[in-house]
Amino acid sequence: MNEKDRNIQLVGLLNRYSYEYHTLDAPTVDDAVYDSLMSELKSLEAKYPDTILPESPTQRVGSEPSKKFEKYTHTERMISLLDSFSDQEAKAWLTRVTKLNPKVTNAEFWVDAKMDGLACALHYQDGVLVRAVTRGDGTTGEVVTSNIKTIPTIPIRLQGSSLNKGFLHGYTEVRGEIIMLKKDFDKLNEARKKNGDAMYANPRNLAAGTIRQLDPRLVAARPLRFHAYDVLRQNVSEIATNKEAYEALRTMGFVVNKEAHIEPDFEQVLNYADTFEKLRHELPYNTDGLVIKINDRGLYRSLGSVGKNPRGAIAYKYAAEQATTIVKDIVISIGRTGAATPVAVFDPVVVAGSTVRHASLHNADEIARKDIRVGDTVVIFKAGDIIPQVEAVLTELRPKNARSFNYIAELKRQYPELEFVRPEGEAVYRVKGLTGTIILKRSLEHYASKGALDIEGLGEKNVVALVDAGLVNDLADIYRLTKEQVLSLDRFAELSSVNLIQAIADKKNPPLAKFIFGLGIRHVGTQTAVDLANSFRNLDNLAVADLDELLAINGVGNIVAESLVAWFADLDNKILLEKFKTFGVIPQTVDHVGGLLSGKSFAITGSLGSMGRDLAAERIRALGGTFQSSVGKDTTYLITGDKVGASKLKKATMLGVKVIDETQLIKMLG
C-alpha cells in the first residue's frame, strides 16, 4: 500500500471512529488510538498536501504553534507531575518524600481532577490582566493575551474580598487549564456535521488549536473555559495551603473544580482515587486521573524537585496510554536460556512519555491468536514503566500483501545453523541441545576473550568453575565477585583470586567496540562492532536504533540489523545492560571518528613477523581503517606476510587491489 492510499484509508477510518464516538455514543477504540492515527494522517497530509480530502478530520483543527506569537520565559517553571498508575506506585512516592521530610507523615493532601486541556499562566499587575502565556516547554511559552481575553471565565480585573485583598496589589500569577466542556464540544461537532464539515478530534486538541489562532475573533466564537488551580505571589508565605489558594481564586472571580478537596491522610486519598475512577466519566470535562498535592505549601516547597517534577505532588492516572504504529518486521531473539522470543519492530511511536520501537510478542501462539502480520497497523499500550504490549490489530488498515507469520519458517531463515524444539506443554521454542548454563559459559568465555574485553585469568576452566559454583548467573555478575568467593573455589589461591578480581575491575570502562563485540550479539563481528561504535558513539544510542538507522551503516545488512534489534529488544538483555550500569560498567564514548587510515580497508594473507593478525587489525582500526577477513571489491590493500595464500593474491590481482608487504604496513601505522 502506498502512502497516498493509506491517507484515504485513514480518513475513512478516523471519520468512522468519530461517528461512533460522537453520534452513536458507542466508541470502538480508545481516544489515544484516534489521536495516534490522527497524528499519522497529519504527517501524510503535510507530505502530500494535494491529497487532503474535504472530509479529512484534520481540516480546521488546530495545528503547530504559530511562530508569530511572542515568546516569554515563565517567572517560575510550569512543572509537570510524576505519573503513578497504581496504589503501589503512589505509596512508593509517599515513602520517598516521607524519608526526605518526616513531617509528611502527618500531612493533609489536596486532591483535584487532572484536566485534559492546555495549561496557561495569567499575569496580573495590581489586579489587572497584563499577560497570558501558554505552558510551552515549561520554561518558555507563547504570549496569547488577546486570545485569552475572549474567554468569559477569565477576569480582566480581579475581584476583591477580605480573603484576597492583598492580591489586588503587586504581581499575581494565576495558573490553570483552558478546556472545552464535553457538551459544548459535542454541539460544535453537531453543527459541523450538519454543514458537512470535518469533525473535530477531541476537546483538548480543539482548545489548544483555538488558542493558537492569530485572529482573536475565531477564539471568541468557540466556547472555551479556564479553570484555575494555582496562584503565585512574590511573597510565598501569603498562601499557606492549597486549600487557601483555591478559596482565594474563587473570590478573585475564577472557576475552580468542584471536585477539589482535602483528604486527611493518604489512605483516604487512595480510597477517593478508587471512587473517582468511576465518577470521572460523569464530569462535564475530560480527565484521565487525579492531581495529589501535599496541602501545606511550605512543606511542599521544602521537598524541592527532581528535574521537571516537584516531589510534593503526583498525578494518579488510570487508563494505560495507547498509540498506533506499523509493524515493520518480526525478528526472533534467542535469550540466555535458549528460548526463541518473537519481537515486533515498529515505526517509532511515543507512548506513556517514552519512545517505543519494539515489543515482545511472547510466542508463536500469541502471534497466531492476534493474527499479527508484518505491515499491520497495531494498537500498543504501555502503562507506566511496564513493557510495551500489542493490544490489537486494526485489520481495516491491513495491506493486501500482508501474510500470516510462519514461525517455523522464520526460525529456519533467521537461524539456519540451529535446530529448535518445542517441549511438550510449553508455548516457547528453544534451541535444541543447549541449556542456559552451556550458553552462559560460552558467552562468558567470549566476553573475556582477547578479541573482546581481554580479561586475564578468565579462561575456559575458570569460567566453568565460577558458573558451576553458582557465583555467576550472567555476564554482569563477574563485576560483583569478591576475593572471598573466588578463593572458596579449588582452582584459586590467595594471589590468583586477587589478580582475577583486579583484572575484572580493570575492564569496567572498556572501548565501546570491544564491549559490543563482547556481548556476543549474533552476526556482529569485530569490524561490525567498530562500525557500530563509530556510528552511534555510545551504547544508549545503539540500544534504541531502529532497522533503518542500522541499515544505513556500511556493511550492515538485513540479517545483522535484525539480530541487533532483536538482541536489544529482549527483556533479559535490557535487564543485563541495566545490571552492568549498576556495577559501574560504562563503555567509553567514541569522541571522534577518523584517522590516518580512515576510508581504507585492509586484508592480510600469510603470517606477519612483527605482530599477530589480531594486533595488526586492532592497530588498523585504531587509525580509522577497516580490517577485512577476505579480499573484496572494496578492499584497498592486501598485506602479504610469510606463506601467503595464492587465492587471496589471485583475487586481489583480479580486482585491482594494491598489494603491500609488512614493512609498508608498519610505515602506514607510524
Side-chain angles (χ1 to χ4, degrees):
M1 182 192 305
N2 62 43
E3 290 181 314
K4 293 184 180 181
D5 289 340
R6 185 168 176 83
N7 183 321
I8 295 170
Q9 280 197 319
L10 284 169
V11 168
L13 186 60
L14 285 165
N15 282 337
R16 195 192 88 193
Y17 288 160
S18 182
Y19 174 74
E20 291 168 346
Y21 183 90
H22 295 293
T23 306
L24 301 182
D25 195 25
T28 57
V29 296
D30 189 89
D31 286 350
V33 173
Y34 184 100
D35 294 345
S36 184
L37 293 175
M38 173 70 82
S39 177
E40 182 185 352
L41 178 60
K42 287 179 180 178
S43 297
L44 286 174
E45 290 182 343
K47 191 173 183 180
Y48 305 106
D50 58 315
T51 65
I52 298 176
L53 301 173
E55 69 270 24
S56 172
T58 63
Q59 296 306 287
R60 303 204 317 197
V61 177
S63 59
E64 292 295 314
S66 170
K67 293 180 180 178
K68 295 182 181 179
F69 286 115
E70 176 191 347
K71 302 293 184 183
Y72 188 87
T73 301
H74 294 294
T75 53
E76 185 178 313
R77 185 171 184 171
M78 293 191 76
I79 49 89
S80 54
L81 301 181
L82 179 70
D83 289 338
S84 64
F85 292 86
S86 66
D87 286 4
Q88 289 74 21
E89 291 183 10
K91 288 176 180 178
W93 163 76
L94 182 67
T95 300
R96 290 195 301 272
V97 294
T98 303
K99 286 181 180 177
L100 290 172
N101 192 330
K103 290 182 180 179
V104 175
T105 304
N106 300 316
E108 295 178 323
F109 297 90
W110 186 251
V111 181
D112 192 4
K114 185 177 182 296
M115 294 170 284
D116 189 17
L118 177 71
C120 190
L122 309 178
H123 300 184
Y124 290 84
Q125 187 64 45
D126 296 329
V128 177
L129 179 65
V130 294
R131 190 184 302 106
V133 187
T134 62
R135 181 186 184 279
D137 62 5
T139 300
T140 303
E142 296 170 326
V143 177
V144 290
T145 314
S146 297
N147 289 349
I148 290 297
K149 287 181 177 179
T150 67
I151 300 176
T153 52
I154 292 179
I156 304 301
R157 179 182 290 275
L158 299 177
Q159 298 178 20
S161 78
S162 58
L163 287 172
N164 65 25
K165 206 165 186 180
F167 296 177
L168 303 185
H169 302 285
Y171 172 80
T172 302
E173 182 175 337
V174 174
R175 293 182 173 182
E177 206 88 358
I178 297 169
I179 63 172
M180 184 177 290
L181 299 183
K182 295 175 186 176
K183 63 180 181 64
D184 293 330
F185 178 77
D186 290 343
K187 285 180 182 177
L188 276 177
N189 263 344
E190 286 172 11
R192 292 180 69 79
K193 184 183 174 186
K194 288 179 182 178
N195 294 333
D197 295 328
M199 304 281 272
Y200 289 126
N202 56 58
R204 190 209 178 280
N205 284 2
L206 180 55
T210 299
I211 290 301
R212 292 185 174 97
Q213 294 290 328
L214 293 175
D215 187 352
R217 291 172 297 180
L218 292 175
V219 184
R222 294 175 183 168
L224 299 178
R225 295 171 62 89
F226 180 82
H227 284 212
Y229 57 68
D230 201 5
V231 57
L232 307 180
R233 293 279 291 174
Q234 289 175 323
N235 181 2
V236 295
S237 64
E238 289 184 81
I239 313 166
T241 66
N242 284 304
K243 184 175 186 294
E244 287 181 19
Y246 272 58
E247 289 172 349
L249 287 167
R250 285 193 190 93
T251 62
M252 285 189 282
F254 290 98
V255 175
V256 295
N257 292 338
K258 297 177 182 177
E259 295 72 33
H261 66 282
I262 279 181
E263 290 291 352
D265 57 57
F266 203 68
E267 200 59 43
Q268 300 271 26
V269 170
L270 296 180
N271 289 340
Y272 181 75
D274 185 52
T275 302
F276 185 75
E277 184 173 10
K278 303 174 185 65
L279 295 177
R280 66 191 176 99
H281 300 293
E282 301 171 13
L283 293 177
Y285 51 82
N286 285 339
T287 174
D288 60 355
L290 285 174
V291 173
I292 302 169
K293 293 182 179 180
I294 291 172
N295 188 42
D296 185 324
R297 288 165 75 105
L299 180 55
Y300 174 95
R301 287 191 301 273
S302 74
L303 295 169
S305 301
V306 178
K308 62 181 181 178
N309 306 128
R311 290 194 179 96
I314 56 167
Y316 190 108
K317 300 183 78 170
Y318 297 106
E321 287 196 45
Q322 293 180 317
T324 58
T325 187
I326 297 173
V327 178
K328 297 176 68 176
D329 200 358
I330 298 176
V331 297
I332 300 175
S333 168
I334 306 299
R336 61 183 176 83
T337 63
T341 303
V343 176
V345 181
F346 304 133
D347 277 335
V349 61
V350 176
V351 185
S354 62
T355 301
V356 174
R357 290 176 171 84
H358 31 63
S360 171
L361 298 178
H362 304 295
N363 52 58
D365 291 347
E366 182 76 356
I367 295 175
R369 184 178 69 81
K370 292 181 177 176
D371 190 18
I372 301 170
R373 307 180 187 183
V374 174
D376 273 343
T377 300
V378 294
V379 179
I380 59 174
F381 69 95
K382 182 174 180 281
D385 291 326
I386 69 169
I387 303 303
Q389 304 286 330
V390 173
E391 182 174 86
V393 176
L394 299 178
T395 53
E396 302 94 330
L397 296 176
R398 172 171 284 163
K400 292 179 181 178
N401 61 348
R403 295 182 179 179
S404 297
F405 188 76
N406 187 324
Y407 201 85
I408 295 175
E410 279 300 308
L411 283 173
K412 291 179 179 178
R413 183 185 74 82
Q414 295 185 34
Y415 300 95
E417 75 282 18
L418 298 179
E419 187 178 349
F420 293 86
V421 294
R422 183 173 175 174
E424 188 175 348
E426 290 191 19
V428 177
Y429 284 86
R430 298 183 184 277
V431 180
K432 186 176 181 180
L434 285 184
T435 64
T437 302
I438 294 173
I439 293 173
L440 175 58
K441 289 174 182 176
R442 291 181 183 177
S443 299
L444 191 51
E445 286 174 36
H446 173 76
Y447 183 80
S449 67
K450 285 190 175 182
L453 273 73
D454 191 15
I455 301 176
E456 187 73 28
L458 203 53
E460 179 184 353
K461 292 181 179 179
N462 285 347
V463 164
V464 170
L466 290 168
V467 173
D468 287 347
L471 296 178
V472 174
N473 296 301
D474 58 39
L475 296 182
D477 274 348
I478 63 173
Y479 291 98
R480 67 174 177 186
L481 287 171
T482 65
K483 184 190 76 172
E484 289 72 25
Q485 288 176 319
V486 176
L487 196 56
S488 68
L489 303 177
D490 292 338
R491 293 184 53 80
F492 290 90
E494 177 80 19
L495 182 59
S496 57
S497 300
V498 171
N499 288 343
L500 178 60
I501 296 300
Q502 187 59 50
I504 293 171
D506 288 343
K507 299 302 168 77
K508 280 192 172 184
N509 191 219
L512 178 59
K514 288 186 171 293
F515 185 78
I516 294 170
F517 178 64
L519 291 174
I521 303 169
R522 289 174 59 79
H523 307 300
V524 176
T526 49
Q527 186 59 53
T528 301
V530 170
D531 294 338
L532 291 169
N534 289 341
S535 296
F536 292 100
R537 305 297 181 92
N538 64 57
L539 193 65
D540 289 340
N541 290 341
L542 175 60
V544 298
D546 59 28
L547 278 172
D548 291 339
E549 291 170 322
L550 291 165
L551 290 170
I553 299 172
N554 187 35
V556 174
N558 279 311
I559 292 175
V560 177
E562 287 179 345
S563 179
L564 283 160
V565 168
W567 196 94
F568 284 104
D570 188 277
L571 179 58
D572 283 342
N573 295 332
K574 288 182 178 182
I575 293 170
L576 175 65
L577 292 178
E578 286 301 315
K579 199 169 177 180
F580 273 123
K581 289 181 181 178
T582 301
F583 296 153
V585 181
I586 309 295
Q588 299 168 23
T589 296
V590 178
D591 292 325
H592 67 278
V593 178
L596 294 173
L597 304 183
S598 181
K600 297 180 176 62
S601 300
F602 297 78
I604 295 176
T605 179
S607 57
L608 303 181
S610 62
M611 67 188 91
R613 186 179 296 252
D614 289 342
L615 179 57
E618 189 171 322
R619 292 186 64 183
I620 288 168
R621 293 184 183 116
L623 291 175
T626 299
F627 182 78
Q628 299 174 326
S629 58
S630 60
V631 177
K633 61 183 179 180
D634 58 343
T635 305
T636 312
Y637 299 102
L638 174 64
I639 306 157
T640 58
D642 294 332
K643 299 179 182 179
V644 300
S647 61
K648 282 188 178 180
L649 274 175
K650 183 179 178 180
K651 191 170 184 180
T653 302
M654 183 180 66
L655 295 173
V657 174
K658 187 173 182 178
V659 178
I660 63 175
D661 60 22
E662 185 175 352
T663 303
Q664 290 171 291
L665 171 65
I666 291 171
K667 287 181 180 178
M668 295 175 74
L669 295 175

